[in-house]
Amino acid sequence: VQLVESGGGLVQAGGSLRLSCAASGFTFDEYAIGWFRQAPGKEREGVSCISSVDSRPYYGDSVKGRFTFSSDNAKTTWYLQMNNLKPEDTATYYCAALDDWGFSCSKLKGYEYDDWGQGTQVTVSS
């Protein structure tokens, strides 16, 4: 499985960015996809996730109501729409995948994902 993130950049507080995660090598029958972020000196934080059995994405408390996780119809590109960005959203954002996963993503921890992208930097200025 290969994951390639894009879409990061520098934005002012209150602005928006859309991150993309292009996925290949999946079976796409049973899977989980997650977005994580890590700021310098901080632990990795789960941002959002969805699995093949989830009816809707899950979101971390810090991004609820501001971020939206979606995909294209072919499930080959996953998106994280980030609105009303705050300086505390500044981090490197990663998408991660777990193939052959037929359960909800809600209990998955970061270390349980098998495949990771290279990350894309998001910087929000105040």
Side-chain angles (χ1 to χ4, degrees):
V1 175
Q2 283 193 319
L3 303 170
V4 180
E5 302 101 332
S6 61
L10 174 64
V11 63
Q12 287 189 330
S16 298
L17 283 173
R18 188 176 81 158
L19 305 184
S20 299
C21 174
S24 60
F26 256 98
T27 62
F28 291 118
D29 290 332
E30 296 182 327
Y31 60 84
I33 301 285
W35 281 100
F36 294 82
R37 66 186 182 185
Q38 189 163 22
K42 295 189 177 181
E43 292 188 356
R44 184 172 59 197
E45 176 187 8
V47 174
S48 184
C49 72
I50 194 166
S51 80
S52 52
V53 300
D54 288 322
S55 59
R56 52 94 176 172
Y58 290 87
Y59 298 97
D61 289 340
S62 61
V63 306
K64 279 180 184 175
R66 300 188 297 122
F67 289 13
T68 303
F69 191 1
S70 64
S71 72
D72 63 6
N73 288 335
K75 299 287 193 289
T76 56
T77 303
W78 302 84
Y79 303 100
L80 186 68
Q81 177 67 43
M82 307 186 296
N83 297 329
N84 190 23
L85 282 161
K86 304 176 181 181
E88 52 263 42
D89 294 317
T90 295
T92 302
Y93 284 71
Y94 300 89
C95 64
L98 178 60
D99 207 354
D100 292 326
W101 182 256
F103 305 95
S104 173
C105 71
S106 59
K107 296 294 192 283
L108 282 173
K109 304 297 183 186
Y111 63 83
E112 297 181 274
Y113 287 81
D114 287 335
D115 300 288
W116 292 78
Q118 82 286 355
T120 186
Q121 178 67 37
V122 171
T123 303
V124 185
S125 63
S126 57

